[in-house]
Amino acid sequence: MRRMPDRVVVESSTEIPPPEWGRRSAVPPATPWLFALLAALLVIGRLVLTPLLTAPALQTWATVFVAICVQALPFLVFGVLLSAAIAAFVPPSFWTKALPRNPYAAVPVAGAAGAVLPGCECASVPVASGLMSRGVTPAAALAFLLSSPAVNPVVVVATAVAFPGQPMMAVARFAASLLVAVAAGWLWLRFGRSSWLRVPSRTAPRGSKWAEFRDAMRHDLLHAGGFLVIGGMTAATLNVVVPRTWLTSVADVPVLSAVVLALLAVVLSICSEADAFVAASLTAFSPTAKLAFLVVGPMVDLKLIALQAGTFGRAFAIRFVPLTFLLAVVVSSAIGGVLL
């Protein structure tokens, strides 16, 4: 290009526009073929799936799944809102001032604090980590880690709603969960070693309080909501696919049924604000077995095991997880035998 004083002259040996412009390619476009394939799949799917969609088993599955999700969703959202607000707006100094200096007295106080400071189990590990980094004795922080997602008002109300006409289920869940949290804290205080626990260092807060609240709420809602869907699908599948004779054979054995539902709670990893609705749908099992499901779930599940191992170290997780699971099964079986 050579710039002239009063105009711009373009020097090029190429014809403008090129000869190939506006000509069709010899290769036929793929879009019509994709559209035709999609239309064919829709027709085939309608012919094949329509009889299946009207099957009584699938209708039962859809009814159970939708009922679980619709009933649990309001409690899940409310619990996530409260958990995010506490994580963002409660000052760190509150914890050190509220807990007694004596470690053995601090454990039950921290466990009872879960009843007034609700939090989802998705946030319990970061909260416990923050407490330890601010000087709270690890045993008290661990008691709060176990109790907060299990005995808070949102979970208690959700349990009462999921078990209408059975108010003692909510009472039994509260008592068993708090007892397990305190017992685990005391046992760790007595037998735990500092070399088994990696106490995270304190980190400075990032962004404003509202930004922290928004991020925590978004993360917990998406995370917990996904596990609610998985739990609802699994519960619906168990109700439809698994023969009733199998469930009856397991449910009739008290100890085995409690252990089976406790292991199911570990695998499902359902948020504590929603797990009561899943437990209520397992009608073949006894109330005590359902109580084991409700007590174990917020304290020991796959996502919590991964979070604990990543935050506090594998040496901690391989000791604390079996301890919590054993305590939860034993205590829930004992409390269920008395109250249910």
Side-chain angles (χ1 to χ4, degrees):
M1 177 182 293
R2 183 177 65 226
R3 184 170 185 83
M4 303 301 292
D6 55 347
R7 59 178 179 171
V8 177
V9 178
V10 179
E11 295 179 350
S12 175
S13 59
T14 305
E15 181 182 355
I16 301 177
E20 63 270 13
W21 281 21
R23 297 183 180 178
R24 288 179 174 239
S25 173
V27 181
T31 303
W33 295 102
L34 292 177
F35 179 79
L37 177 61
L38 179 61
L41 290 176
L42 290 175
V43 173
I44 295 174
R46 178 179 177 83
L47 295 176
V48 174
L49 296 179
T50 297
L52 299 177
L53 292 175
T54 57
L58 187 57
Q59 291 181 350
T60 303
W61 185 95
T63 301
V64 174
F65 171 71
V66 172
I68 291 173
C69 292
V70 169
Q71 285 182 306
L73 189 59
F75 297 97
L76 177 65
V77 173
F78 186 58
V80 167
L81 286 172
L82 286 177
S83 175
I86 291 171
F89 299 114
V90 175
S93 59
F94 168 82
W95 303 102
T96 54
K97 294 178 180 179
L99 296 177
R101 295 183 180 274
N102 187 319
Y104 283 94
V107 169
V109 173
V116 295
L117 294 174
C120 180
E121 61 265 28
C122 305
S124 62
V125 174
V127 171
S129 172
L131 293 177
M132 294 181 193
S133 66
R134 289 167 174 84
V136 175
T137 180
L142 294 176
F144 181 83
L145 182 152
L146 296 178
S147 69
S148 176
V151 302
N152 67 72
V154 179
V155 172
V156 174
V157 173
T159 305
V161 173
F163 291 90
Q166 304 178 51
M168 293 307 297
M169 180 62 76
V171 175
R173 181 179 192 179
F174 180 92
S177 299
L178 184 58
L179 183 58
V180 170
V182 174
W186 276 340
L187 288 174
W188 188 265
L189 184 62
R190 176 63 180 84
F191 300 104
R193 299 180 182 178
S194 57
S195 59
W196 295 344
L197 179 63
R198 183 177 64 209
V199 178
S201 59
R202 182 175 179 179
T203 57
R206 300 179 180 178
S208 65
K209 294 292 185 181
W210 285 106
E212 185 178 353
F213 168 77
R214 183 184 64 250
D215 293 342
M217 182 183 64
R218 180 172 54 194
H219 171 271
D220 290 348
L221 184 60
L222 292 176
H223 193 262
F227 284 107
L228 169 61
V229 172
I230 294 174
M233 293 174 64
T234 305
T237 303
L238 288 175
N239 277 271
V240 174
V241 175
V242 178
R244 289 292 176 182
T245 55
W246 294 8
L247 293 177
T248 304
S249 62
V250 175
D252 289 340
V253 183
V255 177
L256 181 59
S257 62
V259 173
V260 167
L261 284 195
L263 292 173
L264 183 64
V266 175
V267 174
L268 293 184
S269 304
I270 309 172
C271 183
S272 59
E273 284 86 359
D275 59 357
F277 299 94
V278 176
S281 68
L282 302 173
T283 54
F285 289 86
S286 66
T288 300
K290 295 177 184 178
L291 179 62
F293 179 90
L294 297 175
V295 174
V296 171
M299 298 184 178
V300 183
D301 61 33
L302 295 180
K303 66 179 185 297
L304 279 176
I305 294 173
L307 285 171
Q308 291 176 9
T311 304
F312 304 122
R314 276 189 293 179
F316 167 81
I318 62 177
R319 293 170 173 85
F320 191 72
V321 169
L323 170 66
T324 305
F325 182 86
L326 180 61
L327 282 174
V329 173
V330 172
V331 171
S332 59
S333 299
I335 296 293
V338 175
L339 298 181
L340 303 177

